Amino acid sequence: MMNSPKARVDVAINAYGKPYQTAITLLTLMKHSHQWINKIYFVEEARQPEPPNFKFIFDHFGDKIVYYKPNVWLWTKNVKFDFLLNFKRYRHAVRYQYAWEKSDQKYLLVIHNDVYFKSDLVGEYINGIGDASGIGSIGQCWVCPAREAGLCDSERYTQYKPDYQELMQLATTYPQARTGEYKLVVDRAAPWPLPECRLNEYVAMIDLEKTRKDTMPVGKGAAFGAYDRLDVGVKWFADMNNAGHSFKHFNYDPYATHSWISLQNAGHNALFNKELYRYEESVALQVLKDEFNIVPS
């Protein structure tokens, strides 16, 4: 009886600060899911909030790491002029894009650098993705007027397709944190998927074999990591759905915790609060020592 070959996954992680949380992310991931993982594409953002201390991570993982540092720092800004995306120097500065283009595996696991893996989420994703083009937590439903109105959620996002007028009326009736921006970001001709809908990039797995042909620079779709419309991945998700791709919602909470120290589900906040940043890093450093016996030099 032949053993079926194991699915192979490359990992894409962009690091802006948080070296100790970054280390915990990769160490807990590999602890539980190493059998699925081929390479870790580690992109160090062109600017850092403090002098970087990632070397101990590279030393630990060795040739498992593919390191890249772009020349350009986009962070949460989009490329202003689309023609610049014809040049790799700019295109590879878009979050996760370097890994997207360089990976030779079927799947790309996109993760934030403040995740704590509790068990083999990658195996669950591989078993659960089926015919979908991606799997993970779908939608920022907690700030969506359609969810507030009881019309839509992560499992039903393909069933509720309002036209532009209905969506804008919904935003007026059930205002949320970002509904004031809808007039600026919603495409009148294609208002679905809704503005808060995306494959949340904290911990998501994408089938590259299916989506590459429809994603730039090969296809017409936006880059997965483009900060277009309201948030990272929103434009890509809309482009993929409207090109006929489907996505599987998976509640990863039993398997992984995003922003595991402060539990704010927005590690972004720590980058603007030095005390919170230092606290989170101190907790991660202690876990590095206690759980993994690693003392960064």
Side-chain angles (χ1 to χ4, degrees), residues 134-275:
I135 185 170
S137 171
I138 291 179
Q140 302 180 108
C141 302
W142 55 92
V143 285
C144 181
R147 163 77 176 274
E148 186 71 16
L151 297 168
C152 187
D153 57 41
S154 301
E155 302 276 6
R156 294 185 291 162
Y157 87 94
T158 58
Q159 297 163 35
Y160 179 61
K161 299 184 178 182
D163 61 20
Y164 179 79
Q165 293 304 118
E166 183 181 345
L167 174 58
M168 297 318 256
Q169 183 57 53
L170 199 65
T172 302
T173 309
Y174 299 94
Q176 302 293 311
R178 301 195 283 201
T179 45
E181 297 177 53
Y182 282 13
K183 286 181 181 176
L184 302 173
V185 299
V186 176
D187 183 347
R188 283 175 173 266
W192 181 88
L194 304 189
E196 299 290 356
C197 225
R198 66 172 188 167
L199 185 64
N200 291 318
E201 34 108 39
Y202 325 129
V203 195
M205 195 177 79
I206 300 154
D207 187 327
L208 289 178
E209 290 179 0
K210 288 184 176 178
T211 55
R212 257 203 187 120
K213 67 183 187 299
D214 292 322
T215 301
M216 63 86 74
V218 180
K220 295 179 180 177
F224 172 78
Y227 202 100
D228 204 340
R229 300 190 178 176
L230 284 178
D231 215 326
V232 171
V234 171
K235 179 70 163 63
W236 178 85
F237 190 73
D239 290 346
M240 292 304 106
N241 273 277
N242 286 308
H245 292 272
S246 65
F247 295 87
K248 179 85 174 282
H249 173 66
F250 188 101
N251 176 19
Y252 59 73
D253 286 344
Y255 306 91
T257 305
H258 174 231
S259 193
W260 56 279
I261 299 171
S262 62
L263 294 176
Q264 294 183 358
N265 207 35
H268 204 61
N269 294 351
L271 298 173
F272 302 99
N273 181 331
K274 282 188 178 179
E275 283 186 15

Side-chain angles (χ1 to χ4, degrees), residues 28 59 62 73 76 112 114 130 171 178 180 189 200 235 242 244:
T28 56
D59 290 344
W73 191 55
T76 56
H112 274 199
D114 57 353
R178 301 195 283 201
N200 291 318
K235 179 70 163 63
N242 286 308

